[in-house]
Amino acid sequence: MSQPIRPLHAPFDWSNRYPTVRTAVFARNIVATSQPLAASAGLSTLRGGGNAVDAAIAAAAVISLTEPCSNGLGSDNFAIVWDGTGLHGLNASGTAPSAWTPDYFRRRYGSDPAARPARGWDSVTVPGAVAGWAALHQRFGALGFEQVLAPAIEYAERGFAVSPIVHDKWQRAVPLLAGIAGFDPHFLPRGRAPEVGEHFVLSGAARALRLIAGSRGEDFYRGQIAEAITAFARQGGGALSRADLDQYRPTWVDTISQPFAGFELHELPPNGQGIAALICLGILRHTELADLAVDGADWHHLMIEAIKLAFADVYAQVADPTSMRVSTAQMLDEGYLKQRARLIDRARAQAFTAGVPDRGGTIYLSTADAAGMMVSLIQSNYMGFGSGLVVPGFGISLQNRGYGFSLDPNHPNCVAPGKRPFHTIIPAFLMRDGAPQMSFGVMGGNMQPQGHVQTLIRMLLARQQPQAACDAPRWKWNCGLDLELEDGAPPELGQELARRGHRIVHGDDAYMDFGSGQFIWRLGDPGVDGYVAASDSRRDGQACGF
């Protein structure tokens, strides 16, 4: 039964009309992650005198071990930090090896782009996550780096019990990755994926983490670890070199934003896809969405068509910003977005193409502390377990973000030496009148901007509290007219959307298909009123605080 939207001038409606196993968490210091041991590590760091950045790094380091199907020490990451005075964006995505060109791939795999492997060495760019932790800590950390990484070192040494959804994803990866160099001895030590509750120790990870902690990340790029990674690459015929690691640096960036319903959504600029959420909201500003009934077919149809328009432009234009042919400002131009909004047919689904602007496997976590610092951080190996490669002696699973490059020389995302590929992982941050409102994200491939839009609209227009907005059934657009609807969506909604031309398809893994979010909403003075947090039951995680 659809309900009319009410404006957000009053507090949230604290009820939850959706089936759920979780309730919102209220606290002055809070951590929300997709894996409970990581959340506990962040919370203990806050209790030990650390700030929200320390807690985020501690949680990110632990979850690189405890949710290895989604991320690892060889991941990339991105972050947005509110430090009490302003927003700061960090792009710690890796760059292509210096040998990578379109000709490099053509020589190895022929002219068919589909022949390029999604796994193995020719999918690995420089891992940026460790450099991201170090950069965040150097600028904002309160505790020593070794103290921040201590919980991760303990789990690396002693191991942990595997949680249910991690087990499920681990098991699904086995047929795809078994036999890739380093994968079996590290992640299939008994010849299979660990069972739920089974004790697991990632061999070598403690050694890696101790070197990372003692060198503030330097050893990963310029020391023993760097030598081990590049020796492993040479042995396997990979192009990643010591110079590639040595030259890598993460980049501090300004956020980009879009006003909506009295708030401002902030995302990081390309090479990530966060701009898709901004384009979508910018298009929806020029529609009657706010006047429609919540959860009705009209309401969902408008959002679906707007996200399709956004992705049409993103897939055509977004790349490393040094290679883009249009600017983010041009893509977010209000006149252009108003023009795109006019393309939506309220009664019929469409497959959109890119417009022409005027020319001029992932984890997400959020932390906040009583002093007002808030962190939005996302970290990923891309596909489950990334490339499948694991560095011997160090337990470092390497991401496969290089698969995000195009081999089309006419596309701005075409592979080139030292270039960052198109990235799916995007942290988000909500502001209101110059003040921080919410640190949040929704992991899961191209579901991420779709999840940002769906959850935000529920909170900002429908007044649904964060846990309810998180629990509500989601839809996911993939390509063309295909649309996935999550279990729990009313059958009549699917029937009406199908009548309008949406082709309803069914995925086989709801935990991945519809993403998983973490949300921390500031209630007022952080030291007095604190925050309310939500954690998605589509993962093993939790929100916790004090």
Side-chain angles (χ1 to χ4, degrees):
M1 187 79 170
S2 60
Q3 296 180 349
I5 290 173
R6 292 171 288 183
L8 189 71
H9 297 310
F12 289 126
D13 174 358
W14 290 106
S15 65
N16 188 345
R17 53 189 292 228
Y18 307 105
T20 184
V21 296
R22 299 189 181 174
T23 57
V25 174
F26 298 81
R28 291 183 299 114
N29 298 273
I30 207 154
V31 179
T33 82
S34 60
Q35 213 285 328
L37 297 180
S40 296
L43 201 64
S44 67
T45 301
L46 287 169
R47 283 194 179 277
N51 60 25
V53 164
D54 294 321
I57 298 168
V62 167
I63 207 169
S64 73
L65 304 169
T66 60
E67 195 175 319
C69 47
S70 303
N71 73 136
L73 296 174
S75 286
D76 286 351
N77 60 28
F78 295 81
I80 301 175
V81 177
W82 172 264
D83 69 345
T85 59
L87 286 178
H88 307 271
L90 180 68
N91 182 334
S93 63
T95 51
S98 58
W100 278 16
T101 65
D103 283 342
Y104 171 90
F105 288 96
R106 276 193 288 270
R107 287 194 303 269
R108 293 169 78 92
Y109 305 106
S111 58
D112 181 5
R116 179 170 55 123
R119 313 284 186 167
W121 279 111
D122 283 335
S123 68
V124 181
T125 53
V126 175
V130 169
W133 300 346
L136 286 166
H137 182 266
Q138 181 178 10
R139 188 164 183 177
F140 299 112
L143 300 178
F145 200 49
E146 291 176 283
Q147 187 176 352
V148 170
L149 294 187
I153 293 170
E154 181 179 357
Y155 283 119
E157 290 176 339
R158 295 176 57 184
F160 57 93
V162 173
S163 50
I165 295 173
V166 168
H167 156 75
D168 180 63
K169 293 185 172 299
W170 205 319
Q171 196 167 42
R172 288 170 182 265
V174 172
L176 301 173
L177 301 177
I180 293 180
F183 185 80
D184 292 16
H186 287 89
F187 290 114
L188 306 177
R190 299 173 181 90
R192 55 168 175 77
E195 300 294 340
V196 175
E198 189 172 357
H199 186 254
F200 174 77
V201 179
L202 181 56
S203 176
R207 180 185 175 205
L209 281 163
R210 287 191 179 282
L211 287 169
I212 290 166
S215 67
R216 297 188 178 185
E218 282 291 299
D219 195 89
F220 194 98
Y221 300 92
R222 286 164 276 282
Q224 294 180 54
I225 298 175
E227 178 54 39
I229 292 171
T230 51
F232 189 37
R234 288 193 299 272
Q235 179 184 353
L240 192 67
S241 70
R242 281 295 297 269
D244 295 324
L245 291 168
D246 181 67
Q247 293 166 12
Y248 176 74
R249 301 292 186 279
T251 305
W252 291 101
V253 296
D254 292 329
T255 59
I256 55 178
S257 64
Q258 177 70 247
F260 188 81
F263 294 79
E264 277 190 344
L265 173 61
H266 287 253
E267 303 271 359
L268 294 183
N271 54 314
Q273 64 174 341
I275 194 172
L278 304 183
I279 293 171
C280 183
L281 289 183
I283 290 170
L284 290 171
R285 287 177 61 210
H286 300 289
T287 71
E288 67 277 19
L289 180 68
D291 300 323
L292 299 176
V294 177
D295 281 329
D298 290 338
W299 196 65
H300 287 291
H301 176 76
L302 270 183
M303 284 191 279
I304 294 163
E305 296 301 283
I307 201 71
K308 285 155 65 173
L309 281 162
F311 271 119
D313 280 353
V314 165
Y315 289 153
Q317 305 291 358
V318 169
D320 188 311
T322 59
S323 301
M324 286 176 61
R325 298 177 185 131
V326 298
S327 68
T328 57
Q330 289 164 336
M331 295 179 74
L332 294 173
D333 177 76
E334 185 170 6
Y336 174 66
L337 297 182
K338 187 174 182 179
Q339 169 194 331
R340 297 290 275 170
R342 294 193 194 104
L343 298 177
I344 297 176
D345 185 331
R346 271 53 173 177
R348 182 173 60 90
Q350 299 179 74
F352 297 105
T353 57
V356 183
D358 290 336
R359 291 182 182 270
T362 303
I363 65 91
Y364 172 80
L365 62 89
S366 182
T367 61
D369 62 36
M373 180 177 280
M374 301 176 72
V375 180
S376 179
L377 185 147
I378 197 159
Q379 186 166 283
S380 177
N381 269 1
Y382 192 24
M383 300 174 185
F385 288 98
S387 65
L389 296 161
V390 188
V391 181
F394 290 100
I396 297 168
S397 58
L398 297 168
Q399 41 85 332
N400 62 333
R401 283 290 168 184
Y403 192 63
F405 278 120
S406 169
L407 297 184
D408 178 358
N410 297 314
H411 196 286
N413 188 41
C414 184
V415 66
K419 185 175 180 177
R420 286 184 162 101
F422 175 86
H423 245 274
T424 57
I425 61 174
I426 52 172
F429 208 98
L430 192 69
M431 298 285 288
R432 186 175 196 179
D433 299 329
Q437 186 63 77
M438 181 170 63
S439 172
F440 76 104
V442 178
M443 66 183 88
N446 74 340
M447 182 65 211
Q448 293 180 59
Q450 301 183 63
H452 289 191
V453 167
Q454 291 177 62
T455 53
L456 265 188
I457 285 173
R458 289 186 177 280
M459 285 183 249
L460 303 188
L461 295 185
R463 294 184 58 245
Q464 293 179 357
Q465 52 106 335
Q467 190 64 55
C470 181
D471 292 330
R474 296 176 187 151
W475 45 260
K476 180 188 177 187
W477 173 81
N478 286 308
C479 63
L481 299 176
D482 288 356
L483 184 72
E484 294 182 30
L485 291 180
E486 191 170 24
D487 289 346
E492 57 271 23
L493 174 62
Q495 292 162 9
E496 175 56 24
L497 291 174
R499 190 189 67 77
R500 299 184 189 200
H502 298 280
R503 189 163 46 236
I504 308 301
V505 297
H506 301 281
D508 64 352
D509 183 4
Y511 295 118
M512 174 62 79
D513 283 351
F514 299 98
S516 177
Q518 315 293 328
F519 306 83
I520 298 179
W521 179 283
R522 178 170 158 165
L523 293 171
D525 180 348
V528 178
D529 306 296
Y531 309 88
V532 58
S535 183
D536 205 315
S537 61
R538 297 169 181 85
R539 289 290 197 278
D540 293 314
Q542 67 177 29
C544 54
F546 65 92

